């Protein structure tokens, strides 16, 4: 690189940084972005100087496998490439591994990739590639090379499965991409490669290879400047080298909140390369992250407890010279002296590749590290609290089509059970940015009614029409009622025998900002509890005349200390359960409008605020209250004592996990939910549980609702209530 080009590059970086840090940085995500630079560990120069060795043959990675398939044959599993297509050669494992064989994998960015095993078998993949990950994987006594690359010629992500014995390609899969600014991958616990690609549009895409296909997990805007990435599935962390900002850390869990933490930033220090060694590789309590900048002849190393800057110098002609690294690859090795860490970097100025090994003392800091154990009293205590109660996972049976509006739009579901034709029952969901939507039991949209910003919805059966409470003949109908923030009202809709909704009208309230609601029907009269964000509740008695006009009579008011939302009524015990989002659960005797609510269950671990959705469900003749534990993406299951409906006992948590076979993601950050024990036929003969999904991924789409079979929910609750050892 010429001096003029270097100056121009520096000027462009300076201009870009000025733009980024005057406001653009805060909008790189379309959602929550957290700059937590104050909490990052500060790296200090350790005074260590590593002398680099020129790798004349370029980068080469050596993968190890065993004919007898001993568990976890030694392999370098931490390849993380940027635009420089190069990997490190890992030293041969110790003699503790019997019958160990090696595969040399060598990459030339312009010619292709060659693999050669110990028996001299070779395979060459011609083309221009960036290697994201290479590893010997094993399953059912079979071993193969798992190789993930980006094909520069076709602009596709490619995944190969290659025989370790014959070097023949057993499988090749491809996925179109909008270019690649950074690509990395790691092997998941189930043996499926997990792939990260930041494309040319500034979008971070997550994939997983599952059942011989690329499964799109999640995608979101990450912004410009990302030069490389590295993923650690042990800690569920993605590390991003950003030439404008530094090093970002993003949660790799696809159900996690979209936020990023800036763990490193130094003015005028563009970071271009990053690599991570997981804690399991180091037999440590924390992972090791390393990064480099072409403006500094060195590398930064950081784990949970240590951070240092190590100077890098090359010495080929007897004179020590600095380098301009843009790529870094960390790897571990084992020899008779013990475990070690190698570093491979490039030099942008010369185009050469170099390697070095940390000294035994330096490497020892990152192996068998006990620093977290010393600090871990509080963390361990939190864990102990969490595991006092069981956590049971269930899988969704189906999901609805996404709601029309973007962002935080879907909110609360209700279930209308069709007594004449159960399989034609309906799910009613709120799109709180403008519509009430209904779905069939397969999740297909049935209706969309643009009646306003409806937030919560509930269903009432056999509501009397006209001549209520008289000796005259009465007509009955089913209704749905939704809290409507556009009109600060209650929207009332009639449900016909086919499950079609018709808007009857609005009931005005005196609430300042209507929010949540629930209803019950007693002797043909629908009673609605509605609340606002201040904590105020109003109870209305609804009436419907022969012309289907609706009216509401205010019959009761009371308040909770802070914002409520979800509520549910048990008419068998005349008990309403009210959720105060940040505090817990209240109970109200509905038999009289003079009664006031009583606080019965505070939010304590393992339950985490907010509590929003509430529903009742019966298992083996015992009644349970389900509450969304929004903070940890789960659901608290409370046993309701038959003799005392005001007494709740927490049984544990249920989580809804992803069903990758059906390509339905798990559930996170639930607002509203509903459950029924009614026999709806098909998969739902034992009832149905419907929940709002705050982050609808796999692939990333607008929010929707997930459907869980009542049989699965029953089994989960039975598992929770079993005596715990």
């Amino acid at each position: 690189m010429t001096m003029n080009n270097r100056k121009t590059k520096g000027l462009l970086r300076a201009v870009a940084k000025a733009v980024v840090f005057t406001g653009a940085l805060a909008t790189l995500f379309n959602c929550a972005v957290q700059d937590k630079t104050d909490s990052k560990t500060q790296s200090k120069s350790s005074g260590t100087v590593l002398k680099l060795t020129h790798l004349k043959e370029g980068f080469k990675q050596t993968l190890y496998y065993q004919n007898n398939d001993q568990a976890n044959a030694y392999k370098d599993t931490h390849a993380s490439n940027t635009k420089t297509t190069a990997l490190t050669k890992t030293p041969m494992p110790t003699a503790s591994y019997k019958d160990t064989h090696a595969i040399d994998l060598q990459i030339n960015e312009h010619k292709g990739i060659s693999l050669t095993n110990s028996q001299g078998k070779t395979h060459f993949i011609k083309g221009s590639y960036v290697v994201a990950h290479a590893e010997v994987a094993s399953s059912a006594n079979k071993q193969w090379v798992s190789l993930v690359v980006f094909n520069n010629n076709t602009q596709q992500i490619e995944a190969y499965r290659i025989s370790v014995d014959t070097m023949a390609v057993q499988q090749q899969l491809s996925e179109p991409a909008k270019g690649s600014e950074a690509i990395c991958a790691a092997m998941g616990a189930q043996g499926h490669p997990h792939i990260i690609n930041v494309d040319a549009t500034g979008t971070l895409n997550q994939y997983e290879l599952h059942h011989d296909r690329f499964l799109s997990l999640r995608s979101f805007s990450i912004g410009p400047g990302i030069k490389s990435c590295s993923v650690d599935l042990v800690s569920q962390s993605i590390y991003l080298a950003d030439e404008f900002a530094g090093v970002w850390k993003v949660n790799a869990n696809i159900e996690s909140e979209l936020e990023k933490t800036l763990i490193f930033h130094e003015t005028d220090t563009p970071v271009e390369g990053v690599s991570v060694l997981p804690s399991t590789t180091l037999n440590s309590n924390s992972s090791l992250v390393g990064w480099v900048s072409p403006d500094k002849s060195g590398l930064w190393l950081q784990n949970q407890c240590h951070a240092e800057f190590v100077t890098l110098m090359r010495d080929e002609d007897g004179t020590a010279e600095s380098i301009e690294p843009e790529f870094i690859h960390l790897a571990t090795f084992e020899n008779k002296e013990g475990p070690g860490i190698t570093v491979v970097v490039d030099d942008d100025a010369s185009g050469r590749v170099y390697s070095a090994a940390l000294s035994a003392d330096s490497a020892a800091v990152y192996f068998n590290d006990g620093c977290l154990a010393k600090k871990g009293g509080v963390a361990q205590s939190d864990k102990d609290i969490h595991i006092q109660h069981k956590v049971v996972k269930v899988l969704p049976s189906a999901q609805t089509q996404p709601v029309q509006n973007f962002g935080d739009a879907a909110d609360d579901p209700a279930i209308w059970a069709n007594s004449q034709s159960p399989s034609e029952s309906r799910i009613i969901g709120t799109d709180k940015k403008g519509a009430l939507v209904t779905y069939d039991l397969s999740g297909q949209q049935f209706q969309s009614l643009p009646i306003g910003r409806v937030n919560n919805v509930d269903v009432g059966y056999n509501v009397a029409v006209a001549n209520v409470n008289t000796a005259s003949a009465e007509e009955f109908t089913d209704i749905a009622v939704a809290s409507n923030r556009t009109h600060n009202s209650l929207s009332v809709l009639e449900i016909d025998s086919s499950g079609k909704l018709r808007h009857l009208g609005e009931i005005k309230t005196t609430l300042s900002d209507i929010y949540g609601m629930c209803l019950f029907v007693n002797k043909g009269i629908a009673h609605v509890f509605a609340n606002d964000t201040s904590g105020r509740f109003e109870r209305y008695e609804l009436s419907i005349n022969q012309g289907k006009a609706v009216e509401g009579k205010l019959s009761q008011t009371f308040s909770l200390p802070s914002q409520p939302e979800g509520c549910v009524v048990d008419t068998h015990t005349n008990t309403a359960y009210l959720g105060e989002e940040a505090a817990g659960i209240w109970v109200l005797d509905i038999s009289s409008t003079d009664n006031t609510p009583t606080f019965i269950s505070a939010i304590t671990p393992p339950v985490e605020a907010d509590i929003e959705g509430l529903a009742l469900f019966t298992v083996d003749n015992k009644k349970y209250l389900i509450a969304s534990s929004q903070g940890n993406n789960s659901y608290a299951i409370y046993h309701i004592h038959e003799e005392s409906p005001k007494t709740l006992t927490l049984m544990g948590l249920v989580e809804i996990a992803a069903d990758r076979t059906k390509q339905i993601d798990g559930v996170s950050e639930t607002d509203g939910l509903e459950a029924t024990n009614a026999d709806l036929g098909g998969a739902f003969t034992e009832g149905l549980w419907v929940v709002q999904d705050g982050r609808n991924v796999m692939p990333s789409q607008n929010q929707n609702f997930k459907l869980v079979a009542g049989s699965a929910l029953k089994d989960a609750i039975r598992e929770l209530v079993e005596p715990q050892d």
Side-chain angles (χ1 to χ4, degrees), residues 39-288:
S39 64
K40 66 181 182 294
T41 304
Q42 296 297 316
S43 302
K44 297 181 180 180
S45 177
S46 62
T48 300
V49 178
L50 284 183
K51 292 184 179 181
L52 299 169
T53 299
H54 178 208
L55 300 177
K56 296 181 180 180
E57 296 181 359
F59 285 157
K60 183 188 293 183
Q61 182 177 13
T62 303
L63 310 175
Y64 295 99
Y65 70 99
Q66 296 170 288
N67 281 350
N68 59 6
D69 195 32
Q70 293 184 8
N72 298 320
Y74 185 87
K75 49 191 176 284
D76 175 11
T77 62
H78 313 293
S80 176
N81 280 3
T82 62
K83 63 184 180 183
T84 305
T85 55
L87 301 173
T88 185
K89 182 175 181 179
T90 308
M92 189 72 175
T94 64
S96 60
Y97 294 99
K98 297 180 180 179
D99 197 22
T100 300
H101 299 272
I103 297 172
D104 284 338
L105 185 148
Q106 192 156 1
I107 308 99
N108 182 295
E109 181 177 3
H110 304 291
K111 294 181 180 180
I113 303 170
S114 65
L115 300 95
T116 305
N117 66 11
S118 300
Q119 288 75 41
K121 300 289 186 180
T122 298
H123 185 81
F124 183 72
I125 305 173
K126 184 179 179 180
S128 175
Y129 297 96
V130 176
V131 175
H133 180 71
E135 178 174 347
V136 172
S138 60
S139 176
N141 295 323
K142 295 181 179 180
Q143 296 179 91
W144 65 92
V145 175
S146 175
L147 178 65
V148 179
V149 301
F150 182 78
N151 189 324
N152 293 314
N153 295 331
T154 64
Q155 295 293 291
Q156 292 185 330
I157 303 169
E158 296 179 354
Y160 293 84
R161 181 174 178 145
I162 300 170
S163 167
V164 296
D165 297 318
T166 67
M167 292 287 97
V169 174
Q170 298 172 328
Q171 182 184 69
Q172 179 182 348
L173 304 172
S174 61
E175 177 74 9
K178 297 177 181 179
S180 180
E181 298 298 306
I183 186 167
C184 53
M187 190 66 73
Q190 303 303 316
H192 303 300
H194 191 105
I195 304 164
I196 310 295
N197 183 54
V198 179
D199 66 27
T201 70
T203 300
L204 189 151
N205 305 276
Q206 286 182 251
Y207 304 92
E208 185 176 278
L209 293 187
H210 190 75
H211 286 313
D212 301 334
R213 65 176 176 175
F214 276 80
L215 181 61
S216 178
L217 300 178
R218 178 174 68 165
S219 60
F220 53 89
S221 176
I222 195 69
I226 306 302
K227 305 298 289 185
S228 67
C229 66
S230 192
V231 58
D232 175 9
L233 295 181
V234 177
S235 65
Q236 288 287 292
S237 301
I238 303 169
Y239 296 94
L240 304 168
D242 186 334
E243 66 174 338
F244 301 142
V247 181
W248 295 102
K249 180 180 178 181
V250 178
N251 196 325
N253 184 340
I254 63 173
E255 297 293 350
S256 65
E257 184 176 356
L258 291 180
E259 64 178 26
K260 57 182 183 178
T261 304
L262 190 62
I263 65 170
F264 172 80
H265 167 71
E266 282 188 6
T267 304
D268 298 324
T269 305
V271 177
E272 298 204 9
V274 65
S275 180
V276 62
L277 291 176
S279 58
T280 49
T281 301
L282 300 167
N283 191 27
S284 173
N285 287 316
S286 69
S287 302
L288 172 63

Side-chain angles (χ1 to χ4, degrees), residues 414-428 439-442 461 617 674-690 707-711 714:
I415 302 169
W416 177 72
N418 188 332
S419 59
Q420 302 301 315
S421 180
S423 63
E424 295 183 9
S425 298
R426 298 286 178 251
I427 297 159
I428 306 171
Y439 308 90
D440 63 23
L441 295 182
S442 70
Y461 298 91
F617 195 68
E674 184 59 286
T676 179
N677 284 98
D679 179 357
L680 304 183
F684 308 117
T685 56
E686 296 186 55
L688 172 63
W689 181 28
V690 182
L707 283 62
V708 177
S711 56
K714 286 182 179 180

Side-chain angles (χ1 to χ4, degrees), residues 402-452:
V403 297
Q404 181 178 356
N405 287 295
F406 294 90
D408 186 18
D411 192 278
D412 185 51
I415 302 169
W416 177 72
N418 188 332
S419 59
Q420 302 301 315
S421 180
S423 63
E424 295 183 9
S425 298
R426 298 286 178 251
I427 297 159
I428 306 171
T430 60
D431 178 343
K432 60 187 177 185
K433 294 187 177 181
L436 191 66
V437 188
T438 67
Y439 308 90
D440 63 23
L441 295 182
S442 70
Q444 294 298 304
Q445 182 176 305
F446 183 72
Q447 264 185 296
S448 179
L449 297 93
I451 60 175

Side-chain angles (χ1 to χ4, degrees), residues 28 102 173 199 228 240 289 323 353 382 395 397 400 416 462 469 481 510 514 522 604 698:
L28 292 183
L173 304 172
D199 66 27
S228 67
L240 304 168
V289 186
I323 64 168
V353 178
D382 290 342
L395 299 180
S397 298
T400 68
W416 177 72
N462 297 320
N469 294 328
V481 179
T510 64
I514 196 168
N522 181 35
T604 57
M698 216 168 77

